Amino acid sequence: MYQAARGTSDILPEEQPYWHYVEQKAADICRLYGYQRIDTPIFEDTSLFSRSAGEYSDIVQKEMYTFEDRGGNSLTLKPEGTPPVCRAYIQHGLSNRPQPVKLYYITPIFRYDRPQAGRYRQHYQFGCEAIGEADAALDAEVIEMSWQFFKSLGLTRFSLQINSIGCKQCRPGYLVELTEYYAGYRAELCKDCKTRLEKNPLRLLDCKQAGCQRLADAAPRNLDYLCFECKEHFSNLQKYLEILSIPFEVNHRLVRGLDYYTRTVFEFQPEEEGSQSTLGGGGRYDYLIEELGGKPTPGIGLAIGIERTILNLKKENVRVPILPGLKVLMTNVGEETRDESMKIAAMLRREGISATSTAGGKNLKAQLRQANSLGVRYAIIIGENEVKTGTVTVRDMADSSQKTVPVSDLVSFIKKEA
Ligand code: HAM
């Protein structure tokens, strides 16, 4: 028997109220903060992603779904949403619009990850990008927006961590210090960290191995090596977050897994778990647009994992609204009444009332059982008598009461009762 591919899953109808709820809240918060929706293709040129995330990032090294199309082009399924939005910003000349350009997306993301709870090979992200402004006030607004998003969903048990990882001026000096520090402990590092020490020393700070974590705690802090401008930017960000009453913690080990970040980085963690379950994260990427061929343009954004958000809604027992279901099931008692039943169902739908008529040769009792399990509000019974008199019997499934209603009054009866 076929199964969904490893690390992917079907979202069945009973799960959809959660998805609808989260997507609706995402659209609401974006409207409040002036973000407009953008949708980019599912695949792009492979080099768009490899140039953005960094040659030695986990995404590029191990996680991309890359394939060659029939024309010999190397394409990759979107492993994250930021580079496609930056590509679209450049391609469509969005730098000519008032800056910052604020865009959001809800998109499937593909990463060849090791599947486990909250970690999938296809997941969905709600992401936002604000491009064209370097001021820390925008960083604070992006962070506040994500905070308010989680709050608006009804989540309470999460926290925010922030850090600054500097810019082209100050980071190289810090990396020299960091590499020197770790070189003294080379023998104690895990296998991956030995490679990181050569290729991407910043990532040493966010290794999950206990031994490496102890070393990271005592490592030189990026914050102590920031240039004047980066220091000022970070202290402004903290000031603005305080003004906005957003509680945060500075975590000097927070570096994120993508190489394009500069200055601000941040993550939202659920309270009771570690970084494997990060709800969302993001940061500044002031060189990315230029790196991709555009004019020098600063940007900041974040993405939130929708599956992980839903897992946390369930953990916190947040009740989400049920989706409106079918209102009416038209029953029939055989060929003679079937035509009439279909006609009435069509009339109701044209009036905006959801309705369908039973098919097949089930007896009335079975049709009423079907109405019950479908959860409809009304089962409408139409027998030969009703056809003759131009009426129907409306059965309210909530209390099993029945009323005879002329077909000509049916629409107003149902609309009034609802
Ligand atoms: P990211 O931290 O790689 O950032 O992913 C964002 C969020 O997606 C994570 O915090 C997590 O909730 C969710 N996520 C990541 N991988 C998985 C997975 N395998 N299964 C389930 N959920 C997952 C980015 O992608 C950046 N593009 C964010 C950004 C936007 N930075 C600036 N702008």
Side-chain angles (χ1 to χ4, degrees):
M1 217 200 342
Y2 286 116
Q3 301 270 334
R6 191 161 134 78
T8 70
S9 44
D10 304 309
I11 307 168
L12 294 175
E14 49 271 33
E15 281 295 301
Q16 295 293 343
Y18 285 98
W19 287 81
H20 184 78
Y21 180 66
V22 172
E23 287 174 14
Q24 198 59 52
K25 293 283 183 197
D28 289 348
I29 206 86
C30 286
R31 185 185 47 74
L32 270 184
Y33 285 78
Y35 284 73
Q36 293 179 304
R37 178 147 181 160
I38 182 167
D39 290 291
T40 62
I42 287 294
F43 53 79
E44 302 259 2
D45 272 356
T46 299
S47 64
L48 175 72
F49 298 115
S50 48
R51 275 180 81 174
S52 309
E55 199 186 337
Y56 297 106
S57 63
D58 283 353
I59 287 188
V60 173
Q61 288 279 303
K62 336 186 216 185
E63 295 175 1
M64 295 205 303
Y65 280 89
T66 297
F67 61 98
E68 198 172 286
D69 71 7
R70 286 162 196 272
N73 307 301
S74 178
L75 298 169
T76 293
L77 300 182
K78 219 189 271 187
E80 56 143 336
T82 309
V85 172
C86 293
R87 194 256 317 127
Y89 177 92
I90 301 166
Q91 180 178 339
H92 303 289
L94 301 188
S95 59
N96 297 322
R97 300 191 184 172
Q99 307 291 295
V101 171
K102 292 173 159 182
L103 301 166
Y104 83 95
Y105 46 87
I106 294 175
T107 181
I109 295 289
F110 305 88
R111 294 183 184 176
Y112 190 78
D113 245 327
R114 197 151 42 84
Q116 49 189 286
R119 187 170 291 278
Y120 313 104
R121 290 187 174 165
Q122 176 178 337
H123 72 276
Y124 285 78
Q125 288 187 359
F126 157 43
C128 299
E129 313 293 346
I131 304 176
E133 176 58 67
D135 193 330
L138 183 62
D139 305 36
E141 193 191 80
V142 167
I143 293 174
E144 187 216 3
M145 170 175 163
S146 1
W147 180 274
Q148 296 301 351
F149 170 67
F150 291 125
K151 284 275 164 205
S152 75
L153 288 170
L155 292 178
T156 56
R157 301 205 295 265
F158 63 90
S159 62
L160 163 68
Q161 301 190 338
I162 62 171
N163 192 21
S164 174
I165 55 170
C167 66
K168 270 187 183 156
Q169 271 65 47
C170 52
R171 198 182 303 161
Y174 170 64
L175 291 182
V176 170
E177 291 294 320
L178 191 68
T179 310
E180 257 173 36
Y181 163 80
Y182 273 110
Y185 298 102
R186 202 169 192 289
E188 292 171 42
L189 294 173
C190 73
K191 189 168 149 272
D192 280 352
C193 277
K194 287 197 174 97
T195 315
R196 288 179 186 132
L197 185 56
E198 313 292 325
K199 312 285 190 197
N200 199 354
L202 207 56
R203 293 297 314 283
L204 284 158
L205 293 171
D206 105 312
C207 180
K208 306 291 177 287
Q209 304 285 333
C212 298
Q213 290 204 344
R214 269 195 303 280
L215 290 175
D217 281 334
R221 295 163 179 245
N222 210 158
L223 294 174
D224 298 330
Y225 294 82
L226 296 181
C227 60
F228 175 75
E229 289 76 13
C230 286
K231 221 177 248 167
E232 198 180 29
H233 195 272
F234 193 54
S235 78
N236 281 339
L237 169 63
Q238 295 178 70
K239 181 183 78 186
Y240 296 138
L241 288 176
E242 277 156 19
I243 290 172
L244 294 167
S245 305
I246 303 297
F248 62 87
E249 201 185 297
V250 175
N251 174 3
H252 82 98
R253 289 185 42 202
L254 180 66
V255 291
R256 311 255 317 126
L258 297 150
D259 284 2
Y260 51 64
Y261 290 118
T262 47
R263 293 188 167 168
T264 309
V265 286
F266 59 96
E267 273 183 4
F268 289 88
Q269 308 282 357
E271 247 162 39
E272 57 265 41
E273 280 162 282
S275 54
Q276 289 298 325
S277 55
T278 304
L279 278 167
R284 250 194 190 282
Y285 44 86
D286 290 347
Y287 309 122
L288 181 55
I289 301 260
E290 193 181 351
E291 181 70 26
L292 297 177
K295 289 184 287 193
T297 311
I300 177 164
L302 92 153
I304 290 165
I306 298 188
E307 288 83 351
R308 290 187 194 179
T309 302
I310 292 175
L311 279 174
N312 282 277
L313 287 173
K314 290 179 178 172
K315 272 191 195 149
E316 290 205 35
N317 290 319
V318 174
R319 294 183 62 123
V320 303
I322 49 168
L323 296 175
L326 191 65
K327 179 147 273 166
V328 172
L329 185 71
M330 294 290 310
T331 66
N332 67 78
V333 289
E335 279 309 315
E336 315 80 61
T337 59
R338 164 82 55 81
D339 299 0
E340 197 55 24
S341 162
M342 286 178 70
K343 245 198 282 173
I344 294 174
M347 172 189 81
L348 293 174
R349 288 191 294 262
R350 269 178 233 130
E351 292 295 331
I353 298 166
S354 57
T356 182
S357 49
T358 53
K362 291 190 215 85
N363 64 29
L364 186 60
K365 209 163 155 208
Q367 293 178 64
L368 290 176
R369 265 204 307 274
Q370 185 183 352
N372 212 16
S373 54
L374 282 172
V376 297
R377 173 74 197 273
Y378 300 111
I380 294 185
I381 301 164
I382 175 158
E384 279 160 37
N385 228 2
E386 280 89 350
V387 174
K388 269 192 218 127
T389 55
T391 61
V392 290
T393 300
V394 180
R395 181 181 175 94
D396 189 332
M397 298 304 290
D399 58 9
S400 302
S401 63
Q402 297 198 164
K403 273 200 186 97
T404 303
V405 178
V407 173
S408 53
D409 294 347
L410 186 59
V411 168
S412 59
F413 175 85
I414 289 175
K415 284 192 173 168
K416 193 164 82 234
E417 290 287 305

